[in-house]
């Protein structure tokens, strides 16, 4: 830099004139003997040659830089090493690694000493001292093996001494000092210590090495590795028994043990051999580089000044200071680096052998500093380096951490904390060579690194340079907006002067870079590429959306890299003193660099964060723009790599869609890079100069502006080393109120009048539903190269777009489809427009108009921006529709957590109008689908069992009371045989083949009465009957008898109870293949009766499946056709629980005068009738006896248990007295249903124990396994398409034999919460109960968040694995978890 302050000021002015804003100084401290600025002699003293007044000069320097030149200052901090002649090392050798502080380095030091001696004796040994070829080198390396490694006996650092270890073990054996490893030498399952005697020698050695060896943690002194005498004695005891001098020979035992130890040594010798080879390989490669390779320094003869290899240790001088220390502490490890090393491992620490293996490329002028793990490990060093760090932070605005990847990360954390005490807003940058972006992130995160230094000159080709520019260029043009524009809720006129609030969301981005066109560590373009590339390389860097920088001499086109250690000349530049004009000129690229730096700063401050990079042959083009204003800059750069010559190359005409452009300037760099010119510059004695060069204006760039694009054509004369720079803008990119704001505003108002049923069409509608609504004309939208969306409504789009937006995945097929055309816009608006014109859908008109206005606005933007704006419109509408749905539900949903709201929206997803399905034969009303898309239309849509398992959650738990009432009354109208249909089929062809549906129906009425205000009134609602009361006659829905009679819901309830009490026996109407092609004739016979001894309802047969586990065998190949997978005949535990719940409820209503019946009639009892109270009492009296399987067989006498069949104890039977007795004892997920509705039936301790077993055995990440994995019938993978000979699984017969269903999870967690709270006494304990439940919801929370269907699947395979045949969103899966929240709310109220 010359003389301070005069020459400094000239340089700083020139730097400022070129629009740089920070100067990076190498360390300005007093240097060590090598004169390298990075080998610091005294960390607390500035270089007295440059700054004779020390700190005051430095303070004046940095103050003037900021005040007069607008320049910040940055310096290197060197924490990892100090100069090898630093005086303070003599006082504190513990600050380095020596064989006292690091005894594992003893072998490395001994090897280093021997190599120095060997180097000095080459001539005496008859080996060459001047290496002329590989043969000479190989002879020297062979000498290393013979005269150094072998002579040193380095293997003694790796192996154990068999005789010494054997003697110590025998002595301990004789003295009875014996120890055995846990589990013994042979392990716990090997048959005892006697088995060792029969082992081979290798097996004995392996066992002893595993269990009895000491000193294996690191290298150390010779023969550090040994056998622990006590374990050695234990090993002898295992072989010979305890020592008895009458029966044992110590010499025989010793000899036997030595044989084992010799065997044990074999892998240790192999370990040494591998390291020995590494030593010679490393020496060979290093000497080859420094003495033979063309790109190496070719050091010449091997002598004292340039020995064979660099020394790994600094030997401190012998003087009055050092004599106070142990001689072993005076040889300190030098610092260095290792190719592809793990940055988190200390290469001089106990876990590394790098210094022994000679892997370190060493800096002989730098002693590596040893910090330890904390200040207490080396108090002086931590304190001293903290002082140094604070001194640097006092004056400099930024740090570059030298050798960051080799600095212990805990040390760097501590020292940066010290620096930030002095300067909280410290800028920190670093070069990292970890070899891993993940590891880079660890350093950035823990150290608070502002930028990682990256360099354009690392690129070896135009293609690689393009990749680097792409890496640091910013987000792609047209990137998605993740920020939200908040809605203003007042009238439009009140918001005119109030800007929209923006909710900023953190954007994923790569680690920030400080992207240098060239650094002080790398060769300049005149060396590495072509000097002309100085200009395009700098321009490309300046176009990147990150911090950028350069090195002194780059702009002046220096012929070679400045040697920071040995260079004595001072900088010279034509840019010092006079002001620099932003134009072409002499002496390098300064004038153009001023333009580039100015534009770079303008783009950085202006938020120009989006970039498009294109590589074509020798050219790279960069277009960077502001996503808000759509203003930007476009650069075309013709790079100049070796071999490009002087031709123009070929850049195709550039088409900028929807964009206009103005030429800022076009220039080329002309350089005399001849050998004579370089030699002239290099031979300057006093100053550093660039080679002759100047920039020249280029003409002939053509800009053809059209209505929809601008076409740029490069001139014929545009040689390598040329650039053209343009300013760009997009006409009409802003709407009157700003396009971003406009397209995201007003959605809430547009949706203000819609209902939850309307939202079913707006948000959802799977393909069968959409086709149903459009008479087959429309379906979901199909994306080329992607496939159909899951819904026709907004959820279908947003399910994909939310991930595309978050990942900024502009390459997704949806984005390409939007760039290709505007069909998606037409579909979204056209669909809503058609809906708005159908009868009863006036409420859709505002939303249709809103979409038209927004889409009309974005149709005008260039196609590359269409994905961004389409996503913004969809997101705004989706969010408003979602919020409208939540707004129309109950207060518990409105204020609930997002998971509860997602579950609640499933009620909107599953409830809507269908042409092919309704709750009534001749009246269209919204109906609840069992699941989508499998159970969405026609006869498959509405299932009695599914509706009433789902109803409490999806309707009552969300405040949708009218929909709940409609479904209750509709199914009440089709009561027949005392049952409701499983398949409703609009009430036209209801099928009565489910024994459990009626009980879930009655439970839902009970829930309705309890939850809905004045819900009791529903019992008096008049219900027209599809069939005649108490009459099993079947007739068509249009028969005059249909709906000719009416009953109150109260009477319908009583009819169901009475029919069950009397016994039910019928054959299904229309029985035969037309009704069910899989069923055998016997399967159509339905029988239900009550065992009045216990009060339990029994039913079904081995030929049908009357509960929710209703899979019928279908495979003729496997012989399972007509054979139910899970018949569950007898008394299913959940039916018993639901029955008891209903009886207790009816008895309560009777007592309160709200139900006019109090009994049912039966001919099987002496009194011909039984009250609800009496019936319930029978159930309670017998339940535990019939269903519980005690933990201990001692208690079997108190229960109806067959011990021979019990598979698992402490659980509740799934069935009672089924057709296959073993099926009673199976662990399934049905008992929690009974626990939820009838907890009074259960012994609390038994219940909690059974739940704990289920929690471990059958609870999966989201669902409950439908069968115990210990059961021989367990088959957890469901594939309905499989048609094999496997009786258990063919045609999906294992539907309920192991796959994990989601809806039972809700009942399980409800039961667990209920019974766990019973044992909790304090508030804190009760909180723990809720926390345990919450933890078990994590899988479901993630599943619904990740699901494109925005719901919870029907089932999964084992351990939550995806099941392709599962319905992806099922009503009861969501509804039963809302039940859990409903329970929690009721408990909180209580």
């Amino acid at each position: 830099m010359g003389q301070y302050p005069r020459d400094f000021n000239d340089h700083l002015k020139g730097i400022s004139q070129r629009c740089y804003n920070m100067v990076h100084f190498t360390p300005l401290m007093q240097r060590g003997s090598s004169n390298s600025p990075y080998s610091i002699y005294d960390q607390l003293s500035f270089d007295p040659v440059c700054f004779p007044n020390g700190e005051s000069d430095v303070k004046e320097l940095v103050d003037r830089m900021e005040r007069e030149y607008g320049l910040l200052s940055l310096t290197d901090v060197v924490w990892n090493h100090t100069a090898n002649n630093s005086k303070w090392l003599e006082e504190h050798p513990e600050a380095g690694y020596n064989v006292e502080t690091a005894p594992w380095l003893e072998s490395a030091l001994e090897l280093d000493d021997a190599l120095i001696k060997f180097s000095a004796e080459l001539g005496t040994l008859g080996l060459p001292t001047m290496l002329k070829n590989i043969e000479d080198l190989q002879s020297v390396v062979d000498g290393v093996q013979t005269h150094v490694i072998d002579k040193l006996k380095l293997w003694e650092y790796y192996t154990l001494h068999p005789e010494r270890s054997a003697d110590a073990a025998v002595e301990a054996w004789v003295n009875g000092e014996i120890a055995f490893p846990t589990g013994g030498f042979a392990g716990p399952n090997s048959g005892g210590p006697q088995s060792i005697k029969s082992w081979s020698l290798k097996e004995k050695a392996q066992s002893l090495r595993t269990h009895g060896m000491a000193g294996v943690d690191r290298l150390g002194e010779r023969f550090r590795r040994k056998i622990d005498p006590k374990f050695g004695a234990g090993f002898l005891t295992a072989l010979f028994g305890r020592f008895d001098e009458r029966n044992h020979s110590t010499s025989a035992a010793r000899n036997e043990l030595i044989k084992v130890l010799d065997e044990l040594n074999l892998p240790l010798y192999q370990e040494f051999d591998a390291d020995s080879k590494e030593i010679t390989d490393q020496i060979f490669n290093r000497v080859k580089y420094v003495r033979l390779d063309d790109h190496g320094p070719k050091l010449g003869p091997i002598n004292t000044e340039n020995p064979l290899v660099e020394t790994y240790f600094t030997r401190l001088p012998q003087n009055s200071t050092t004599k106070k220390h142990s001689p072993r502490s005076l040889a300190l490890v030098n610092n260095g680096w290792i190719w592809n090393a793990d940055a988190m491992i200390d290469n001089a620490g106990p876990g590394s052998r790098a210094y022994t293996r000679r892997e370190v490329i060493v800096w002989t002028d730098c002693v590596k500093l040893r910090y330890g793990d904390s200040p207490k490990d080396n108090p002086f060093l931590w304190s001293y380096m903290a002082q140094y760090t604070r001194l640097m932070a006092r004056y400099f605005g930024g740090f570059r951490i030298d050798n960051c990847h080799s600095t212990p990360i805990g040390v760097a954390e501590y020292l940066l904390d010290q620096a930030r005490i002095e300067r909280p807003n410290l800028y920190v940058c670093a070069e990292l060579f970890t070899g891993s972006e993940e590891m880079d992130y660890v350093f950035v995160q823990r150290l608070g690194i502002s930028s990682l230094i990256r360099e354009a000159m690392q690129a070896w080709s135009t293609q690689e340079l393009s990749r680097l520019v792409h890496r640091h260029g910013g987000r792609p043009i047209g990137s998605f907006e993740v920020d939200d524009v908040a809605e203003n809720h007042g009238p439009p006129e009140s918001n005119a002067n109030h800007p929209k609030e923006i909710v900023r969301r953190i954007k994923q981005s790569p680690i920030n870079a400080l992207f240098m066109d060239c650094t002080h560590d790398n060769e300049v373009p005149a060396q590495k590429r072509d000097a002309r590339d100085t200009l395009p390389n700098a321009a490309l860097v300046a176009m990147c959306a990150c911090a950028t920088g350069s090195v002194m001499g780059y702009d002046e086109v220096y012929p070679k890299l400045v040697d920071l250690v040995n260079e004595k000349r001072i900088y010279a530049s034509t840019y010092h003193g006079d002001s620099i004009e932003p134009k072409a000129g002499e002496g390098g690229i300064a004038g153009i660099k001023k333009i580039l730096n100015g534009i770079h700063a303008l783009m950085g401050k202006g938020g120009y964060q989006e970039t498009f990079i294109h590589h074509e042959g020798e050219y790279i083009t960069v277009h960077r723009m502001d996503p808000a204003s759509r203003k930007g800059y476009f650069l075309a750069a013709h790079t100049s790599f070796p071999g490009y010559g002087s031709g123009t190359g070929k850049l195709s005409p550039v088409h900028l869609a929807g964009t206009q452009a103005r030429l800022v300037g076009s220039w080329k760099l002309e350089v005399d890079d001849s050998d004579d010119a370089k030699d002239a510059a290099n031979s300057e004695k006093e100053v550093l100069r660039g080679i002759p060069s100047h920039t020249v204006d280029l003409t002939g760039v053509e800009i053809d502006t059209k209505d929809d694009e601008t076409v740029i054509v490069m001139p014929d004369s545009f040689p390598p080393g040329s650039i053209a720079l343009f300013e760009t803008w997009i006409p009409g990119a802003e709407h009157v109120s700003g396009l971003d704001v406009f397209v995201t505003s007003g959605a809430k108002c547009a949706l203000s009048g819609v209902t939850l049923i309307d939202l079913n069409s707006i948000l959802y509608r799977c393909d069968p539903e959409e086709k149903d609504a459009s008479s087959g004309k429309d379906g979901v939208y199909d994306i080329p190269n992607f496939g159909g969306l899951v819904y026709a409504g907004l959820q279908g789009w947003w399910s994909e777009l939310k991930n595309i937006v978050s990942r900024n995945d502009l390459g997704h097929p949806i984005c390409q489809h939007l760039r290709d055309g505007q069909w998606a816009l037409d579909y979204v608006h056209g669909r809503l427009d058609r809906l708005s014109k159908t009868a009863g859908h006036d409420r859709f008109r505002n939303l249709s108009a809103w979409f038209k206005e927004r889409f009309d606005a974005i149709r005008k933007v260039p196609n590359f921006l269409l994905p961004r704006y389409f996503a913004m419109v969809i997101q705004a509408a989706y969010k408003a529709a979602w919020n409208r749905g939540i707004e129309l539900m109950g207060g518990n949903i409105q204020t609930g957590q997002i998971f509860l709201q997602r579950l609640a929206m499933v009620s909107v997803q599953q409830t809507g109008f269908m042409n092919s399905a309704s709750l009534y034969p001749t009246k269209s009303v919204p109906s609840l689908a069992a699941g989508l898309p499998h159970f969405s239309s026609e006869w498959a849509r509405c299932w009695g069992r599914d509706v009433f398992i789902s109803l409490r959650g999806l309707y009552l738990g969300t405040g949708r009371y009218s929909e709940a009432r409609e479904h209750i009354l509709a199914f009440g109208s089709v009561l027949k045989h005392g049952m409701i249909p499983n398949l409703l089929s609009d009430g036209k062809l209801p099928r009565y083949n489910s024994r459990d549906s009626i009980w879930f129906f009655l439970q839902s009425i009970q829930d309705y009465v309890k939850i809905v205000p004045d819900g009791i009134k529903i019992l008096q609602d008049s219900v027209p009957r599809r069939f005649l009361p108490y009459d099993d006659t079947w007739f068509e829905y249009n028969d005059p008898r249909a709906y000719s009679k009416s009953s109150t819901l109260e009477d319908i309830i009583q009819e169901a109870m009475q029919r069950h009490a009397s016994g039910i026996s019928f054959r299904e109407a229309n029985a035969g293949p037309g009704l069910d092609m899989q069923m055998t004739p016997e399967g159509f016979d339905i029988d239900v009766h009550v065992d009045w001894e216990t009060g339990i309802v029994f039913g079904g047969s081995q030929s049908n499946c009357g509960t929710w586990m209703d899979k019928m065998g279908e495979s003729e190949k496997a012989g399972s056709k007509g054979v139910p997978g899970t018949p569950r005949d007898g008394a299913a535990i959940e039916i018993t629980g639901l029955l008891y719940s209903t009886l207790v409820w009816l008895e309560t209503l009777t007592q309160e005068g709200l139900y006019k019946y109090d009994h049912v009639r039966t001919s099987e009892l002496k009194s011909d009738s039984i009250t609800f109270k009496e019936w319930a009492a029978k159930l309670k009296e017998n339940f535990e006896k019939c269903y519980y399987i005690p933990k201990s067989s001692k208690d079997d006498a108190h229960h109806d248990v067959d011990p021979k069949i019990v598979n698992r104890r402490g659980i509740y039977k799934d069935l009672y007295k089924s057709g296959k007795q073993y099926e009673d004892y199976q662990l399934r997920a049905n008992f929690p249903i009974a626990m939820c509705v009838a907890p009074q039936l259960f012994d609390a301790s038994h219940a909690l124990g059974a739940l704990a077993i289920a929690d471990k055995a059958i609870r999966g990440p989201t669902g409950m396994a439908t069968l115990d994995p210990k059961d021989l019938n367990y088959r957890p993978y469901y594939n309905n398409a499989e048609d094999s000979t496997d009786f258990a699984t063919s045609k999906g017969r294992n539907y309920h034999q192991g796959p994990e269903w989601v809806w039972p999870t809700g009942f399980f967690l409800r039961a667990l919460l209920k019974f766990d709270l019973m044992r909790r006494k304090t508030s804190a304990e009760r909180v723990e109960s809720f926390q345990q439940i919450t933890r078990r919801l994590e899988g479901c929370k993630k599943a619904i968040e990740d699901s494109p269907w925005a719901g919870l699947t029907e089932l999964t395979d084992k351990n939550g694995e995806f099941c392709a045949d599962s319905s992806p969103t099922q009503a009861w899966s969501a509804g039963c978890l809302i039940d859990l929240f409903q329970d929690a709310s009721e408990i909180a109220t209580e």
Side-chain angles (χ1 to χ4, degrees), residues 1217-1330:
K1217 293 187 176 180
S1218 67
K1220 296 190 189 81
Q1221 191 179 8
Y1222 75 86
E1223 292 181 345
D1224 290 9
Y1225 294 83
Q1226 291 176 318
L1227 173 62
R1228 297 185 186 269
N1230 297 307
F1231 71 91
I1233 302 172
M1235 287 182 173
C1236 291
V1237 298
Q1240 309 95 314
L1241 289 176
F1242 293 82
D1243 176 282
S1245 63
H1246 292 170
L1248 201 56
L1251 289 166
I1253 291 171
D1255 190 45
K1256 292 180 179 179
I1258 60 174
R1259 183 177 64 84
T1262 54
M1264 302 293 291
T1266 39
L1267 184 61
D1268 188 347
K1270 286 180 60 177
D1271 197 290
L1272 294 176
N1273 291 296
Y1274 176 70
R1275 302 289 191 282
Y1277 293 96
Y1278 173 61
N1279 179 2
N1280 198 51
E1282 176 199 334
D1283 191 8
S1284 67
T1285 58
D1286 190 327
F1287 185 82
T1289 62
S1290 185
K1291 289 287 186 179
R1293 187 173 174 271
N1294 62 315
Y1295 199 26
H1296 306 98
Q1297 294 282 63
E1300 295 166 9
W1301 285 66
V1302 178
W1303 75 266
T1305 298
F1307 280 101
F1308 170 77
L1309 294 177
R1310 290 174 65 194
L1312 183 60
L1313 179 62
K1314 190 182 296 288
F1315 282 95
D1316 194 47
L1317 284 171
M1318 290 180 187
R1319 69 188 180 99
R1320 304 292 189 172
K1321 305 302 180 185
T1322 67
S1323 175
E1325 288 177 342
R1326 287 190 286 274
V1327 169
E1328 166 72 12
S1329 290
F1330 282 97

Side-chain angles (χ1 to χ4, degrees), residues 1149-1167:
L1149 292 181
T1150 300
Q1151 294 299 320
E1152 294 173 353
L1154 300 174
Y1155 189 76
K1156 64 184 179 182
Y1157 306 99
D1158 68 350
H1159 68 277
V1160 290
R1161 301 180 308 278
T1162 174
S1163 60
E1164 296 186 30
L1165 294 171
K1166 293 181 180 179
S1167 60

Side-chain angles (χ1 to χ4, degrees), residues 244 370 391 650 670 770 845 932 1057 1112 1201 1241:
D244 182 344
R370 184 192 64 86
L391 177 64
K650 182 63 178 177
E670 292 184 343
E770 189 71 4
R845 289 178 182 171
L932 306 177
M1057 299 302 294
M1112 180 60 72
V1201 170
L1241 289 176

Side-chain angles (χ1 to χ4, degrees), residues 75 499 589 687 742 1067 1090 1134 1166 1322:
T75 190
I589 64 169
V687 296
F742 175 72
R1067 185 171 178 80
V1090 179
E1134 72 274 20
K1166 293 181 180 179
T1322 67

